[in-house]
Amino acid sequence: MRLIDYANPTRFLGLTATVLPWLAVVTALTFAVGLYLVVFVAPADYQQGETVKIMYIHVPFAWLSMFCYVTMAGSAFGTLVWRHPLADVSAKCAAPIGAAFTFLALATGSLWGKPMWGTWWVWDARLTSVLVLFIMYLGLIALQETIEDPARAAKASAILTLVGVVNIPIIKFSVDWWNTLHQPSSVFRMGGSTIAASMLVPLLIMATAFTLLFLVLHLMAMRNEILRRRIRAMRMIEAAGAE
Amino acid sequence: MFGTHAGFILAAYGIAILVVVVLFVWIVVDGRSQRRQLAELEARGVRRRSAATSEGDRA
């Protein structure tokens, strides 16, 4: 069977019913290992002290806020170009999860910024571009809910998603292009990571755990959306039969 | 255990757990609602066109 064959919603439901329980177990185990390392093994930072523990959730949320949008952009491309049956389902279901992760990136960043920078918020390039991302997620959710016809909603939100993808490199490189309170990239950068292995390993494990969590939530939400569309189609058949 | 800024650390982890749990519960409740509605429709004999066609093919 080719990968494209799983574009069939019925096959997708069958596959995810088998995969999801295992994925959930792997996610829970990864979180258990990551949290153990964060609480009991990872050292305090020489400048920030124990406040650095916020990094282990803030950074994964920030990565996932962008990863989720890139997933939506890929799905939007699939919706517009190939009219892939699951592409719009994927894009629609990723939006609330992306909004939640972006909110958490902003909230945990603010809670980290107050003791370290002395302020909850500054209107600098990094923070403002992430706030714009959060507003874009909310706008896309509103657009999807406003248009009743799923095909029209899919097309409109796909176009808006692809227009908004320009914000992703702005977020990523904002710390290099403009002066900002936010620290520059320290994990994925030219010349290698600047974080000590004792902190980098827990951070990468937590990032993996949150990525797996995103995958679990996304697949669950996609299953719900497929059923919602089936119910809509069946209600229309029922209504047509009653006339 | 978390030093002088324990309140900030616990608040960050607390809000993260709260939002993730709310998101998870919302998706689970939505899934149950969709499965219940689908079962009700099927109990009333409503079938999707593709399902009806495949059943017709088998008959």
Side-chain angles (χ1 to χ4, degrees), chain A residues 38-39 50-51 53-54 56-57 61 96 100 103-104 108 111 114-115 120 213 217 220-221 224 227-228 230-231 234-235 237-238, chain B residues 1-3 5 8-9 11-13 15-16 19-20 23-24 26-28 30-31 34-35 37-38 41-42 44 46-49:
Chain A
V38 168
V39 176
E50 293 289 350
T51 317
K53 296 216 183 293
I54 297 175
Y56 301 107
I57 53 172
F61 287 140
F103 168 76
L104 286 172
T108 55
L111 284 161
K114 179 61 180 170
W120 298 100
L213 177 68
L217 294 175
M220 286 172 70
N224 294 351
L227 295 185
R228 194 180 344 272
R230 282 188 177 178
I231 290 164
M234 287 165 76
R235 289 224 165 103
I237 289 168
E238 189 181 35
Chain B
M1 183 180 184
F2 294 121
H5 297 304
F8 291 98
I9 300 165
Y13 278 80
I15 197 167
V19 171
V20 168
L23 190 62
F24 180 76
W26 172 59
I27 292 171
V28 168
D30 183 40
Q34 301 308 321
R35 282 193 294 276
Q37 290 178 59
L38 192 65
L41 282 164
E42 285 174 347
R44 290 207 297 268
V46 184
R47 291 282 180 274
R48 288 179 301 129
R49 284 199 184 89

